[in-house]
Structure formats: C-alpha cells, structure tokens
Amino acid sequence: MAIFLASSPQAFQNLNNRSFLIVPPKHSAQCLLPSRCPFSGSNQTLNVSSNDWPFELRMREALNVLELMKAQGMNPEPALFCSLLRSCADEQNLEIGRVVHAKITEYVVEEDALVANNLIYMYAKCGDLRSARKLFDEMPKRNTVSWTSVMSMYNEFGRPKESLRLYRLMKSSTDVKANAFTYATVLDCCAKTRNLKMGMEIHEDVIRDGCEGDRFVITALIDTYAKCGRIEEARKIFNRMTEPTIVAYTAMIEGYNINSRSEAALGIIRGLFQGGIDKNVLKELGFGCMIRACILEAAVRQGQEIHCLIIKFGFKMGARTLSSLIHLYCEANKMAFARCLFDDLVLVDKEMWRRMVSGYVRNGMKQEAWQIFSRMLSYNAEPDQFVFSQILGACDDMLNLGEVKQMHAWYFKGGCGLFSASAVDRLVNLYRRLDEFEEAQKLEKWQLEANSHASVDGKHQTITWMKSILAKFSY
C-alpha cells in the first residue's frame, strides 16, 4: 500500500507542490541512499529515487524517508546523514544542507564525530566559514579529520596563516596526530606565505610520523622549498622519488621557473620528451609551465616542439596556453606565428595587446603595428603610455593628419595615467612634420603649464588641473 509522506520542508517550496508517494519503481533506478537500508539488521534494498531526478527532488525524497522512519520509531544510522551532507557539499547547496543539519539535531546525532566532521565539511564547501568554525569549536572531542577539515577550509578561502595557527594549536594543546592530508595542506600554506621556517619544522614532523613517502606530501614539500627559494632542497626531494608523479614534475618545473632556473626546467622537459611522453601525461603536465620555461630561456625551438605536440595530439588550447605561446613567439620575433594564435583569442588582455604592438614595432612592421593598435581601439581597450609611445615612435612617418588627431584624441581621453613628456613631445613633432604649427604650439603650452603645476601644487592638484582642461585639447 502506498504511504502518503509528510509535507516537504520549507527549502523545497520552489518545487512542484504535488505530494509524492513511495511506490515500487517500474524501471531500474539508482537510489540516493545506501543500497542497504539503515534499519538495524535489515538487508532490504531501498529504491526511492531516480538518478535522472534533480538534486533538490532527490533530497526531498530522502528527507521524506527520514520522516517515514521517524513515524515508525526507527533511528537512522549516522552514516546516512553523512551521505546526505556529502551530497549537499558536492552540490554546494547550503540551504538544503541546513535542513539536513536540523534533522541531525532533531535525532541528536550531532555529537557523533563522523557526523560533526561531515557537517564541518558541508559548511566549508558551501562557503559558510563561520558555521563551520562554530561547529569545530563546540566539538567535545576533535580528531585528525576535524582539524584537517578546518585547516583546509581556511587555506581554500585565502587564509593560510589561520591554517598554520590551527596546526600549531593542534600540536601544542592536543594529542591528535597529523596525517598525510594534514601535512599536504599545511605545507601548501607555507608555500603560499613563503614561511620557510615553519615549512622546515613541518618537514621534520613529516619524517617523524613516517609520512615522507606519501606522494602528495612529497609534492607539497617540493612546492614549499621551491617557493621559499630553496630550489636545491626541492630537487633533492624530487630525485628521491622512484617514479615521480605528473604533479611532482609540474611542481619542479614551476619551481625552477620562479627561481630563474629555466634552463634546469627545460632539462626536465627534455628528459620527458626523450622518454616518449604519453598524450595523457602531456595533458596532465600542463603546457603553461613548459612554455613559461621556454620563454625565460628564449628557447623557441623547444617551444615550437611543444606547440607541435599540442597540434599532433589534437588538444584544444585554452587562453593561458595561447597567451604563453604568443608571448614566446613575440619574444623570438616570430610575429607570423604569434599573429595566427592572437587571432584565435576570444578575450585579449592589456598585456597581450602590448606584446603584439611591441613585437611588430621591434621587427619594423609598422603597418601591422598600426592595425593592431586600431583594432585595440575598436575593441574599447585602453592603451597605456607604453603602447602610445611605441606607436607614435614607430609610425611617425606614415600617419596622416586625421590619424594624428585621432591619436591626440585617444591620448587625452585615456585619462591622466597616460600623460608623459615623451608622448607629448612625439605628438608635437608629428604636428610640426605635417605643418600644423598651431596645434604643436598648443601642446607645448599645455606641457609647460602642466610642468609648472606639478612643481608648485604637487601631483594631486596637477591631476585635478589636467582634468579641468582636457576638453580644450581633445578632438
């Protein structure tokens, strides 16, 4: 007989208001709940939801089952609540997570360590740090998972120093031992804060607790020493790995890059290529760190080899990989390659515009530099002093009066951050070359007044004055 279930909690009012019945499904369905019912001694399979249902609907049915169990005097096992909390965490659904928390309080299982840890994890994943910390502080007995969850939470949300403070507190005031995940988390905090002293202390703790063989801990140690400037120590740890993981390779290559040891980074990359790198390994390693090493060493041949592998394996390049390759080709004066990649970019940042303009100017390709600059203006991207100076210096012999006036207008519309003596001097020279002496004199007068205000009134008053007269000189 079908059983009419209790009305849905407030969190589910946005769903269809019709009532649901628990009935045997006519087709195979995957239950949100464990395959074995949480009833004591029961092996009955529970099929109440379909994996095609939306998350909110599946959770509604799960909570309805809890109401049914309560009506029949049955107490759910803590593992069931943990499953529901993990589902809410994975979906980052704080609203339903709080409904589950209310049910946990109702069944008085909040003090169960496993449930409490999953509550902390759910609130942390949903970004509610205050509730997660409150639960942690109120726990009568905290274990390794409890401490690590809160440390990981603070690290993930940009507060690594608080994570390290908690680690010190755990060591000094409890008998709780850290595990490999704890060490990986706090070592990452040391890397982010460049805290070499504490990183070395944690390394000693890792050795004492026998966790030096864990691959995640090893990678975290490599990253910590590299970012703290101890690249040789990082390499020693890397060399002790019999089969380095892809993450360890990435950490070591990036470590060399940030320590201006890009030749050593290229050495690792060459070793991987000579060993016949697998397609999946190449993808996991990441092209960004490899190309950065090529940029720092101006190793265009190795960069082209990486580019060829990307094409060979049919990988779709992301914005960061495209930007890195463009940077490499611009630095190597391979502007044809750079332009092909540049045209594939959907979003272009200011640095990329600068690189393309600078690359063309450096290679004497004035027309192409002007085309990129014009395209930049048409996209409403604001040129800076560097770009203006580059264009004015390179294209002074090919600009007509209309284009000079356009440059003049864009220069002043760009705001006070663009004003520089060299750019104004170049505009003055351009007007004189075109026999526009009146405009040249206006600019010279403006420059003299600007310099006078700068020496008498200081920077703030000068900028205010500049803004007040912009209209006089913009076209």
Side-chain angles (χ1 to χ4, degrees):
M1 182 178 67
I3 305 170
F4 181 76
L5 298 179
S7 58
S8 61
Q10 186 178 2
F12 304 110
Q13 287 181 354
N14 60 327
L15 298 174
N16 194 317
N17 287 329
R18 60 189 176 134
S19 298
F20 285 87
L21 303 177
I22 295 294
V23 295
K26 294 182 180 179
H27 59 280
S28 176
Q30 180 180 344
C31 179
L32 171 73
L33 305 179
S35 58
R36 290 171 64 90
C37 289
F39 311 153
S40 178
S42 172
N43 292 332
Q44 181 184 357
T45 300
L46 188 63
N47 292 316
V48 296
S49 65
S50 167
N51 57 1
D52 294 329
W53 290 2
F55 169 74
E56 289 84 358
L57 191 54
R58 286 185 281 124
M59 289 299 295
R60 173 179 176 172
E61 286 301 310
L63 291 169
N64 280 341
V65 172
L66 290 178
E67 290 296 320
L68 177 60
M69 293 172 67
K70 181 180 179 182
Q72 295 183 359
M74 298 177 178
N75 290 323
E77 292 180 358
L80 173 57
F81 288 111
C82 294
S83 176
L84 298 180
L85 289 168
R86 283 194 296 272
S87 295
C88 294
D90 291 341
E91 294 288 329
Q92 295 187 349
N93 194 315
L94 181 59
E95 185 181 12
I96 298 178
R98 284 177 173 151
V99 173
V100 176
H101 189 178
K103 289 292 179 185
I104 289 169
T105 305
E106 184 180 329
Y107 282 97
V108 199
V109 290
E110 194 174 17
E111 292 186 1
D112 181 275
L114 189 61
V115 174
N117 288 337
N118 275 275
L119 275 169
I120 292 170
Y121 175 72
M122 184 275 294
Y123 279 117
K125 286 285 285 184
C126 293
D128 189 349
L129 275 63
R130 181 175 296 180
S131 295
R133 183 58 186 266
K134 184 174 183 293
L135 281 164
F136 174 78
D137 290 339
E138 292 174 352
M139 287 181 73
K141 187 171 178 60
R142 305 169 190 140
N143 57 22
T144 305
V145 176
S146 314
W147 285 95
T148 305
S149 295
V150 179
M151 291 178 204
S152 178
M153 173 187 73
Y154 281 121
N155 185 34
E156 185 176 345
F157 283 89
R159 297 174 61 184
K161 290 183 179 179
E162 181 63 18
S163 298
L164 294 176
R165 194 190 70 79
L166 281 169
Y167 178 75
R168 290 192 192 95
L169 182 63
M170 183 186 77
K171 280 186 62 179
S172 63
S173 62
T174 71
D175 57 357
V176 174
K177 283 192 174 182
N179 59 18
F181 188 76
T182 312
Y183 287 129
T185 300
V186 293
L187 283 168
D188 184 51
C189 295
C190 291
K192 288 177 178 176
T193 57
R194 305 297 192 265
N195 191 334
L196 177 61
K197 182 180 178 183
M198 188 160 185
M200 294 174 71
E201 291 175 6
I202 294 171
H203 191 180
E204 292 176 1
D205 295 341
V206 166
I207 296 170
R208 185 197 64 226
D209 290 341
C211 293
E212 67 269 30
D214 183 90
R215 56 192 179 126
F216 295 107
V217 174
I218 292 172
T219 303
L221 282 167
I222 292 170
D223 189 48
T224 299
Y225 280 117
K227 287 181 178 174
C228 291
R230 299 287 290 272
I231 191 65
E232 297 303 330
E233 187 64 32
R235 185 58 191 258
K236 287 178 185 176
I237 295 169
F238 177 81
N239 289 342
R240 286 199 289 266
M241 299 181 76
T242 53
E243 294 184 6
T245 63
I246 297 302
V247 182
Y249 272 115
T250 303
M252 199 65 243
I253 293 169
E254 286 285 25
Y256 277 128
N257 286 342
I258 63 178
N259 282 278
S260 302
R261 298 277 302 277
S262 47
E263 179 56 41
L266 282 174
I268 295 177
I269 295 168
R270 290 190 192 101
L272 283 168
F273 285 169
Q274 289 166 3
I277 191 167
D278 181 74
K279 172 181 177 179
N280 295 325
V281 171
L282 181 66
K283 186 176 182 181
E284 285 182 45
L285 184 60
F287 306 113
C289 68
M290 294 190 286
I291 296 168
R292 275 191 291 279
C294 297
I295 293 169
L296 293 168
E297 280 297 311
V300 67
R301 186 182 64 79
Q302 286 83 2
Q304 286 178 314
E305 186 177 350
I306 295 167
H307 192 182
C308 288
L309 285 171
I310 293 171
I311 296 170
K312 175 184 175 181
F313 289 129
F315 291 127
K316 185 178 175 67
M317 287 185 284
R320 291 182 65 182
T321 302
L322 278 169
S323 297
S324 297
L325 276 171
I326 292 169
H327 188 183
L328 173 67
Y329 286 131
C330 284
E331 290 295 314
N333 298 324
K334 303 277 186 181
M335 295 309 298
F337 291 109
R339 181 61 178 270
C340 287
L341 293 170
F342 180 81
D343 289 339
D344 286 339
L345 283 173
V346 178
L347 296 174
V348 184
D349 60 20
K350 186 178 291 187
E351 187 61 31
M352 198 51 58
W353 290 113
R354 287 184 57 163
R355 287 197 185 117
M356 290 300 295
V357 170
S358 177
Y360 278 130
V361 169
R362 189 170 59 250
N363 285 274
M365 304 170 75
K366 300 179 180 181
Q367 191 64 45
E368 290 81 359
W370 178 256
Q371 287 173 358
I372 291 293
F373 180 77
S374 300
R375 184 170 160 187
M376 183 180 185
L377 298 183
S378 70
Y379 282 26
N380 293 322
E382 294 185 0
D384 56 14
Q385 284 187 19
F386 176 81
V387 172
F388 262 105
S389 296
Q390 289 268 301
I391 288 293
L392 288 170
C395 304
D396 59 346
D397 60 346
M398 58 177 281
L399 298 178
N400 58 39
L401 180 59
E403 289 168 335
V404 172
K405 286 187 174 182
Q406 183 185 8
M407 292 286 289
H408 188 171
W410 274 102
Y411 178 74
F412 280 94
K413 287 178 182 177
C416 296
L418 288 176
F419 295 125
S420 70
S422 61
V424 174
D425 287 341
R426 282 175 174 169
L427 276 172
V428 168
N429 291 334
L430 282 170
Y431 278 125
R432 282 179 175 162
R433 182 177 65 79
L434 295 167
D435 297 330
E436 292 289 328
F437 298 107
E438 184 179 348
E439 296 301 331
Q441 288 174 354
K442 281 183 182 180
L443 273 175
E444 286 179 320
K445 180 181 177 182
W446 175 87
Q447 189 175 31
L448 286 171
E449 291 184 27
N451 291 336
S452 174
H453 276 264
S455 61
V456 175
D457 298 326
K459 183 178 179 181
H460 177 74
Q461 288 82 0
T462 301
I463 290 175
T464 304
W465 173 81
M466 285 177 173
K467 288 180 177 178
S468 70
I469 64 166
L470 277 178
K472 296 181 182 179
F473 296 96
S474 60
Y475 288 86

